[in-house]
């Protein structure tokens, strides 16, 4: 037979073990979406960086505002862009409305070329919850 004291001790031990296992399980489940959001943010950052790096060093069109970017003809046009991910025509990228893209383009002489012939490009993508923050940095030099 089992006494009442032994039964109560068994119930307490099982309860503590179950609480510990559920705590670990809850933490794991809560963080399981982070890698997917991080991968999406990285893809968006690479998309924007590739688009910017494909533009000439200087030009005349573009204003850093959200919307259609198909006519932007130079790197600095992207400076100050701060909006949700969009394609080059200004259409929102489906399912990525939880992300924000911020772009900074500035003259920078870190490469030692000088003469205003190099620009630093920072593309930052973060989520609305503040758990993901991806920053890609590249330098673009004037074509000769």
């Amino acid at each position: 037979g089992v006494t009442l004291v032994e039964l109560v001790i068994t119930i307490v031990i099982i309860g503590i073990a179950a609480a510990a296992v559920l705590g670990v399980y809850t933490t794991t489940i809560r963080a399981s979406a982070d890698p997917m959001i991080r991968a999406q943010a990285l893809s968006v950052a690479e998309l924007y960086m590739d688009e910017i790096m494909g533009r000439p060093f200087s030009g005349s069109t573009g204003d850093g505002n959200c919307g259609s970017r198909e006519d932007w003809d130079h790197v600095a046009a992207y400076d100050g862009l701060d909006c949700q991910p969009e394609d080059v025509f200004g259409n929102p990228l489906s399912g990525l409305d939880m992300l924000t893209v911020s772009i900074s383009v500035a003259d920078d002489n870190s490469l030692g070329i000088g003469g205003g012939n190099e620009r630093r490009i920072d593309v930052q993508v973060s989520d609305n919850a503040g758990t993901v923050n991806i920053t890609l940095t590249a330098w673009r030099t004037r074509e000769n």
Side-chain angles (χ1 to χ4, degrees):
V2 177
T3 65
L4 184 59
V5 173
E6 291 172 334
L7 185 62
V8 170
I9 291 174
T10 303
I11 291 172
V12 168
I13 291 173
I14 291 173
I16 291 171
V21 168
L22 288 176
V24 170
Y25 183 72
T26 301
T27 303
T28 303
I29 293 297
R30 189 174 299 146
S32 68
D34 288 349
M36 182 185 72
I37 295 170
R38 183 171 301 283
Q40 289 173 331
L42 182 59
S43 294
V44 168
E46 289 173 343
L47 173 81
Y48 275 83
M49 186 62 80
D50 288 345
E51 180 182 326
I52 296 168
M53 294 301 285
R55 302 286 192 222
F57 185 83
S58 58
S60 60
T61 61
D63 56 9
N65 289 326
C66 298
S68 178
R69 301 182 310 276
E70 65 181 316
D71 295 329
W72 293 12
D73 67 352
H74 65 294
V75 172
Y78 292 83
D79 187 38
L81 185 77
D82 188 15
C83 55
Q84 291 180 336
E86 301 172 333
D87 66 15
V88 71
F89 304 109
N91 302 314
L93 295 178
S94 178
L96 299 175
D97 56 344
M98 77 294 220
L99 299 175
T100 301
V101 178
S102 302
I103 300 175
S104 170
V105 179
D107 289 336
D108 187 320
N109 292 322
S110 298
L111 300 177
I113 296 172
N117 291 319
E118 57 191 280
R119 293 196 171 122
R120 177 184 168 142
I121 304 161
D122 292 311
V123 176
Q124 180 179 10
V125 180
S126 56
D127 69 337
N128 297 340
T131 57
V132 174
N133 189 1
I134 303 286
T135 301
L136 297 182
T137 300
W139 280 263
R140 183 76 161 81
T141 59
R142 187 180 303 274
E143 305 86 11
N144 288 328

